[in-house]
Amino acid sequence: MFELNEEQRIIQKSVHEFAKKELAPKASFWDSREEFPWELVKKMAEIGLTGLRLPKDYGGVETDLITTGIALEEVARYDHNCAIILCGSNITGRVLLYGSEKLKWKYLPDIAKGRCILAFAAMESEAGSDIRAIKTKAKRVKDKYLVNGEKSMITFAEIAQGYIVLVKTDEKRREGISCILIEANRQGIDIQQLKGFGWRATRWGNIAFSDVRVPAENLIGEKNNALSMLTPTVQEQRALTGLIALGTARQALEEALDYARNRRVFGKPLGKFEGIQFKLVEDFTSLEAARLTCFQALHLIEKNAVEASTWAAMANLIGGEIAYKVVNDAMDVYGGLGYSRELPLERYLRDIKAVQIASATLKMEIGQGILGKEFLPYA
Ligand SMILES: Cc1cc2nc3c(=O)[nH]c(=O)nc-3n(C[C@H](O)[C@H](O)[C@H](O)COP(=O)(O)OP(=O)(O)OC[C@H]3O[C@@H](n4cnc5c(N)ncnc54)[C@H](O)[C@@H]3O)c2cc1C
């Protein structure tokens, strides 16, 4: 049975207190300004949150995946965008571990200190779920790669110091994809800002690369092997994002419970009516079940288990779906007040929708995991 150990409980409590004190008061501000909260990133770095998954040698904390999940869940209760920033930072940092020592030393210590954010750019306007269909090309010319193409809907596009980009290095094969780091200040890069429904503090955007010259040593990992190289990192990201959605939903549920205890209608507290009670009890139960799915996924990923891929996809899927329902129900409990911008519920719902959109595509991956690739046409 899954249970947190003593050390994990202490970390959970301290991150909870930190997020409540330092992040919660500013979450709405950065969301409404639609600006990247560097101020909060600096504070998170001070207690090691920006380097949770990075090796100690490069200034990280080198913690396990379950503890990372616990920390991100607590941050997400008080600031969903900050949790997404931490998740992104830890993920791009992990991908860099496949790169050269030079690249690692250039970026990892700064990522751990909260001074650097890298974006992960896979998607293109004509290749989202079908990632093997990307067209951005990197052509080797002597000691450089010449990169041409575009990337769409990239989180942190506008503020990142560099992009970890998926590029085609063998156009004849769908799997001929490599990973390359492109510094944001190189010639030939154009960023177009995008405005999203949620994740408003993450500075989302499209990136165009036109004859961008990148040193060959910026290639991360083996040429034409990016998809299998990235598998564990993508799994981590999926399970953690599911947990982030649930962290935000847990906060909404606790606020709704509190309101139901105190709001009086027809001479009684709202929570005395079964219609409200049953809704909240069902949400509490589904939320706990979904959290366990996410933690089980993290456990399997850490063990490099064969089921990890399916569980990571399930964690992301259930995380987004249950979290959305829980926040939506919390809004109903609050009535008109829940709909108003006086409360953060509308922000929670907007942010969770972003997780849900990414999750929708995962159903086919879960199908592959359960039924096997031979039954499905996508691979
Ligand atoms: C807020 C946000 C942040 C993002 N940040 C990043 C980022 O940092 N880096 C990055 O690379 N990308 C990012 N993305 C892009 C994201 O990865 C894609 O949106 C996602 O992979 C889906 O791709 P798509 O939008 O092209 O949808 P499509 O692939 O065109 O799919 C459209 C719809 O069809 C469904 N669908 C697709 N294939 C199938 C199928 N075989 N069977 C049934 N239904 C199917 C999908 O579930 C979806 O509902 C971000 C997206 C959002 C919304």
Side-chain angles (χ1 to χ4, degrees), residues 54-277:
L54 304 183
K56 287 184 181 157
D57 286 352
Y58 302 96
V61 178
E62 211 174 311
T63 192
D64 62 274
L65 254 179
I66 300 276
T67 308
T68 304
I70 293 166
L72 264 55
E73 187 186 23
E74 291 306 316
V75 168
R77 286 180 66 147
Y78 296 106
D79 192 328
H80 183 103
N81 279 254
C82 276
I84 291 297
I85 292 166
L86 291 182
C87 187
S89 227
N90 278 292
I91 294 302
T92 46
R94 299 278 292 166
V95 178
L96 263 191
L97 293 178
Y98 296 100
S100 67
E101 278 305 310
K102 195 172 162 191
L103 277 187
K104 285 190 247 183
W105 280 107
K106 184 169 174 191
Y107 290 103
L108 292 181
D110 278 349
I111 292 176
K113 287 197 180 81
R115 293 196 294 239
C116 172
I117 295 285
L118 298 178
F120 180 74
M123 193 202 162
E124 299 180 2
S125 53
E126 290 178 32
S129 318
D130 184 9
I131 205 63
R132 289 167 181 79
I134 61 164
K135 292 198 180 114
T136 297
K137 271 187 295 195
K139 194 175 163 207
R140 181 85 191 238
V141 185
K142 293 183 184 158
D143 60 344
K144 297 220 166 16
Y145 278 100
L146 196 62
V147 181
N148 279 290
E150 51 85 24
K151 293 287 166 184
S152 293
M153 302 188 196
I154 308 303
T155 306
F156 314 137
E158 282 198 301
I159 56 92
Q161 281 101 321
Y163 320 108
I164 294 180
V165 185
L166 285 194
V167 287
K168 266 269 154 82
T169 34
D170 180 352
E171 287 174 69
K172 294 192 197 89
R173 290 194 300 127
R174 261 168 70 78
E175 267 75 20
I177 294 174
S178 306
C179 207
I180 195 163
L181 187 129
I182 306 183
E183 293 86 352
N185 58 5
R186 291 206 173 269
Q187 292 276 316
I189 299 176
D190 192 39
I191 309 285
Q192 182 206 354
Q193 187 191 3
L194 276 175
K195 294 264 186 190
F197 182 55
W199 290 12
R200 292 190 180 175
T202 66
R203 306 299 292 195
W204 204 38
N206 298 332
I207 311 174
F209 301 102
S210 168
D211 282 339
V212 180
R213 286 172 195 281
V214 187
E217 66 198 31
N218 279 22
L219 201 73
I220 299 172
E222 211 182 305
K223 191 175 170 186
N224 296 328
N225 190 39
L227 296 183
S228 53
M229 177 184 87
L230 291 172
T231 300
T233 322
V234 169
Q235 289 170 357
E236 271 188 41
Q237 189 213 16
R238 286 176 175 171
L240 290 173
T241 315
L243 209 45
I244 288 173
L246 294 168
T248 305
R250 168 167 287 259
Q251 185 58 23
L253 181 63
E254 287 193 8
E255 287 167 13
L257 280 168
D258 198 44
Y259 191 73
R261 280 190 199 102
N262 294 304
R263 168 78 168 173
R264 294 183 75 83
V265 292
F266 302 101
K268 287 198 278 193
L270 205 50
K272 291 274 181 200
F273 293 92
E274 282 185 343
I276 297 288
Q277 268 177 22

